[in-house]
């Protein structure tokens, strides 16, 4: 009990060997295969509904009410007592442009050009990229590279801005919303199972350990029928 009293509920005691971040995608429905037929809305509507549900916390009005505008390109370091509530930077869904669900409520699924969102796992105190934003790229994980001919990334060129880091923990960083990178698969081979690997790239990022498919990368399959 005495030892527990010496531990802080806000931050880990030892942070000198913080693990690199893992990643996850949205939508995530019963596995890592996203399969649908463009001509059958019932096959892609669940993905669309999942995206809208997930992005509700990122609505522009919600972000403007809860969070602040930050300075892009540098870490948002906040001092003061560790128990003080920390401010969070706005991440508006409009930043995701064609993958925001605003202009196209189907996130491209009705056109056979699905949007998929990538997020890094939260790690208290972690500053990714050592001062340089971490970027995302995608490629065919196995097979013919021409099966994936075009991917657009939002916001910007598909990077996680430094201003969203470090994360201070759920007890004090109450309104924190994880930054996202949207991947818009605008030209994928149809009627074919295309395995795709999307990876983080940056200083301190590990994305090549075969025994962990979520560490710095994620593998999923796109199967888009006509």
């Amino acid at each position: 009990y005495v030892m527990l009293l010496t531990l802080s509920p806000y931050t880990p005691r030892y942070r000198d060997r913080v693990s690199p971040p893992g990643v996850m995608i949205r939508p995530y429905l019963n596995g890592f295969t996203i399969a649908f037929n463009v001509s059958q809305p019932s096959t892609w509507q669940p993905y669309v509904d999942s995206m809208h549900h997930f992005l509700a916390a990122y609505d522009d009005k919600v972000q403007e009410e809860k969070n602040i505008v930050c300075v892009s390109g540098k870490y948002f370091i906040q001092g003061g007592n560790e128990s003080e509530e920390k401010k969070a930077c706005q991440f508006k869904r409009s930043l995701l442009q064609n993958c925001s669900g605003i202009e196209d409520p189907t996130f491209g699924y009705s056109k056979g050009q699905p949007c998929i969102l990538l997020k890094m796992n939260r790690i208290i105190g972690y500053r990714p990229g050592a001062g340089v934003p971490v970027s995302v790229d995608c490629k065919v994980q196995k097979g013919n590279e021409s099966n994936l001919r075009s991917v657009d990334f939002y916001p910007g060129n598909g990077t996680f801005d430094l201003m969203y880091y470090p994360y201070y923990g759920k007890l004090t960083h109450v309104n924190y919303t994880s930054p996202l990178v949207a991947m818009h698969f605008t030209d994928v081979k149809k009627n074919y199972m295309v395995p795709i690997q999307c990876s983080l790239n940056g200083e301190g990022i590990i994305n090549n350990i075969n025994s962990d498919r979520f560490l710095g990368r994620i593998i999923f399959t796109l199967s888009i029928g006509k």
Side-chain angles (χ1 to χ4, degrees):
Y1 175 75
V2 173
M3 291 179 66
L4 289 174
L5 289 177
T6 68
L7 300 178
S8 168
Y10 304 104
T11 57
R13 176 181 288 272
Y14 299 108
R15 290 183 290 168
D16 55 334
R17 297 184 64 185
V18 176
S19 299
V23 293
M24 189 58 181
I25 57 170
R26 293 292 187 277
Y28 174 71
L29 299 176
N30 305 317
F32 293 95
T33 296
I34 296 177
F36 62 94
N37 294 321
V38 177
S39 60
Q40 296 177 288
S42 61
T43 62
W44 48 257
Q45 192 62 49
Y47 298 114
V48 171
D49 293 342
S50 176
M51 291 280 276
H52 278 296
H53 178 74
F54 176 73
L55 287 174
Y58 292 85
D59 283 345
D60 288 20
K61 289 184 178 180
V62 173
Q63 288 292 310
E64 289 169 359
E65 290 174 359
K66 292 186 175 182
N67 296 331
I68 65 172
V69 177
C70 296
V71 179
S72 178
K74 66 178 184 179
Y75 296 121
F76 185 23
I77 309 297
Q78 301 182 62
N81 191 294
E82 66 177 1
S83 64
E84 292 179 5
E85 184 173 322
K86 308 300 182 184
K87 297 178 181 179
C89 299
Q90 293 179 6
F91 189 99
K92 300 179 179 179
R93 68 186 295 174
S94 58
L95 292 173
L96 302 176
Q97 299 179 12
N98 292 343
C99 288
S100 66
I102 298 173
E103 292 187 7
D104 177 8
T106 71
F107 299 96
Y109 284 79
S110 64
K111 304 172 184 176
Q113 300 178 334
C115 288
I116 296 176
L117 306 177
L118 186 77
K119 64 184 288 289
M120 274 197 267
N121 293 347
R122 299 179 182 183
I123 302 175
I124 295 176
Y126 184 60
R127 304 181 191 182
V132 179
V134 172
S135 63
V136 178
D137 68 30
C138 297
K139 63 182 180 181
V140 173
Q141 190 260 339
K142 187 177 181 180
N144 194 331
E145 293 182 3
S146 65
N147 291 340
L148 177 61
R149 292 179 284 268
S150 179
V151 187
D152 295 331
F153 296 92
Y154 308 104
N157 54 356
T159 58
F160 292 93
D161 199 293
L162 300 180
M163 66 182 176
Y164 299 106
Y165 304 96
Y167 169 60
Y168 288 92
K170 63 181 181 180
L171 293 181
T172 56
H173 226 158
V174 180
N175 293 324
Y176 182 85
T177 41
S178 299
L180 308 170
V181 165
M183 306 168 297
H184 193 190
F185 294 91
T186 55
D187 194 355
V188 182
K189 185 175 181 179
K190 302 296 190 295
N191 298 316
Y192 194 78
M193 300 283 284
V194 182
I196 294 172
Q197 175 176 296
C198 293
S199 305
L200 302 179
N201 299 286
E203 186 71 27
I205 297 296
I206 298 175
N207 58 18
N208 58 358
I209 298 181
N210 293 330
S211 61
D212 191 339
R213 62 180 291 176
F214 302 105
L215 183 61
R217 64 172 181 167
I218 194 161
I219 299 169
F220 55 94
T221 301
L222 281 180
S223 178
I224 305 173
K226 297 181 179 178

